[in-house]
Amino acid sequence: MPGKRLFSYLIALVVLGACGAVSPWQAPHYQEHPLAGRIWNVAEARFADKAELIAALVSADFILLGETHDNPDHHLLQAEIVSAVAGAGRRPMIAFEMFDMTQQQALAEHLKTSPEDSAGIAEAVGWRKSGWPDWQLYRPIAAAALHAGLEIRPANMSRAQARGLAQHGLEGAEPDFIAGLGLDVALPAEQQENVRQEIDDAHCGYAPAEMIDAMAFAQSARDAHMARTLNSGAKEDGAILIAGAGHTRNDRAVPFHLRRMAPGRSILSLAFLEVSEGAPSPPAYAAPFNSQSLPFDYVWFTPRVDIRDACERFEEQLKKMQEGKAAAKNQL
Ligand code: HEM
């Protein structure tokens, strides 16, 4: 480093030191938590460093990166991983849960005319109407992928399809559609019960009891659809999935379907989990998954975006949805 630049660098370090360290995190809560920033190797029950994790990811055919949707740190770390995997010479396809099949054409057309324009994706696919958190949160992942020349695809089935399944369950669906997703073979009973529990918990007891089976079926169908997208889009360089952590759990979600669809190909599931107050050790984070152990290969702990009670937030969201529906009705 030339003398003048080295000097400026040292001055910057001194100033930063005097002002206190700049936090590497965007999420505001529990940045000082003992697990924040640590990586946990689940099978070996020990902490791992980033080099070990990247090496494991680079050698897997399917790389599943499970997130909390509104946590910007999760997306920045996903983007870092995409760059690291591409930097190691891999060119996997990358599929997003947040895009569905109805957006496939618009996404492909946009990327054909503007192959590096990650910002323009939002408008091209009508992201604002989709209900997902701001595109700016996801944009770093898309930017890293496009910079590396990776193909981006939607992973999810359409909302209309999922709603149809949630209303009518297996009986309401075309047999070919079900067979194409491999859902004619039921999940093992224990895992089915685990999905039902997830649906019940996620809707804070508001999901009508008589609908839970069909909603659980819709959730599994989404998993199977994402697995099929990964398997069909993956060439020799494999594929990466960006999805909620629940979809990336090894015991029953996308990995379960991938194992059936692509036997012999390797899968690595990394979940980014937000730390909780009073939970200083990794095994404590298995309970929210209704599981004895963490259902991932690795977990990367980060600070938390929102410390309000999850069901309080659910009720707020539900109220907004109901107000939106009432406003739309009044306009007719
Ligand atoms: C603030 C959180 C949430 C709210 C307010 C909410 C609300 C709803 C509502 C009103 C429906 C009825 C169908 C519709 O109109 O879309 C529904 C369906 C559904 N929800 Fe949730 N939900 C939330 C979180 C979750 C989570 C975390 C999961 C995942 C475990 C989930 C899984 C499902 C599934 C599988 C369906 C069936 C239809 C579909 O897949 O789109 N929901 N949700």
Side-chain angles (χ1 to χ4, degrees):
M1 196 181 287
K4 214 169 163 190
R5 271 177 53 208
L6 176 61
F7 180 73
S8 315
Y9 176 66
L10 289 174
I11 291 287
L13 280 185
V14 171
V15 171
L16 283 178
C19 300
V22 175
S23 166
W25 301 113
Q26 309 271 321
H29 301 290
Y30 310 142
Q31 294 187 349
E32 306 303 325
H33 190 287
L35 286 180
R38 304 211 69 185
I39 299 168
W40 181 249
N41 175 327
V42 177
E44 296 179 20
R46 60 167 175 80
F47 290 105
D49 62 15
K50 207 197 280 188
E52 172 190 325
L53 172 65
I54 300 290
L57 290 164
V58 165
S59 65
D61 291 315
F62 296 109
I63 300 171
L64 311 186
L65 303 178
E67 64 188 40
T68 300
H69 301 308
D70 63 356
N71 190 314
D73 294 314
H74 293 190
H75 304 308
L76 291 171
L77 292 172
Q78 287 167 321
E80 186 182 330
I81 287 169
V82 169
S83 298
V85 169
R90 291 263 313 267
R91 289 292 173 274
M93 180 272 275
I94 175 163
F96 286 71
E97 174 196 1
M98 302 79 212
F99 298 133
D100 71 41
M101 298 316 284
T102 63
Q103 296 164 315
Q104 182 160 26
Q105 197 179 342
L107 179 65
E109 278 169 12
H110 171 73
L111 294 176
K112 201 169 170 195
T113 49
S114 315
E116 289 233 16
D117 179 18
S118 57
I121 290 178
E123 198 176 325
V125 303
W127 180 271
R128 213 174 298 160
K129 285 182 286 169
S130 71
W132 290 103
D134 197 318
W135 173 246
Q136 286 309 324
L137 291 185
Y138 284 93
R139 188 179 160 195
I141 313 170
L146 295 180
H147 184 69
L150 309 188
E151 182 192 356
I152 299 182
R153 284 200 195 182
N156 217 335
M157 65 171 54
S158 73
R159 289 229 158 120
Q161 269 177 328
R163 274 191 192 152
L165 295 178
Q167 276 161 11
H168 309 294
L170 187 54
E171 289 74 34
E174 291 290 328
D176 283 357
F177 175 74
I178 296 304
L181 290 175
L183 291 167
D184 43 352
V185 182
L187 278 178
E190 193 188 328
Q191 292 166 19
Q192 270 187 47
E193 181 47 34
N194 191 289
V195 192
R196 293 181 80 267
Q197 192 61 52
E198 182 186 19
I199 294 291
D200 200 14
D201 294 348
H203 296 93
C204 300
Y206 281 88
E210 67 280 8
M211 274 188 72
I212 290 185
D213 277 343
M215 288 169 81
F217 181 67
Q219 182 75 353
S220 294
R222 285 186 187 280
D223 288 333
H225 193 280
M226 291 192 246
R228 191 174 62 179
T229 307
L230 294 180
N231 189 33
S232 63
K235 302 198 176 72
E236 60 283 358
D237 257 355
I240 298 177
L241 177 68
I242 303 296
H247 289 293
T248 64
R249 54 187 296 166
N250 266 330
D251 50 353
R252 64 158 171 76
V254 174
F256 174 86
H257 297 285
L258 267 179
R259 284 195 293 272
R260 291 193 293 116
M261 294 174 186
R265 296 200 82 180
S266 56
I267 304 168
L268 197 131
S269 171
L270 162 65
F272 300 95
L273 298 185
E274 295 183 313
V275 292
S276 298
E277 204 178 20
S281 78
Y285 291 79
F289 294 95
N290 294 312
S291 175
Q292 298 286 333
S293 58
L294 280 161
F296 308 100
D297 296 304
Y298 284 88
V299 171
W300 194 328
F301 292 97
T302 74
R304 178 170 284 272
V305 166
D306 202 328
I307 49 174
R308 285 173 305 155
D309 177 65
C311 287
E312 212 177 285
R313 280 185 278 152
F314 173 86
E315 281 169 7
E316 246 171 49
Q317 195 64 31
L318 201 60
K319 208 167 145 210
K320 273 193 208 151
M321 286 168 83
Q322 283 160 348
E323 285 166 0
K325 269 190 190 156
K329 226 176 180 179
N330 288 341
Q331 277 178 357
L332 292 177

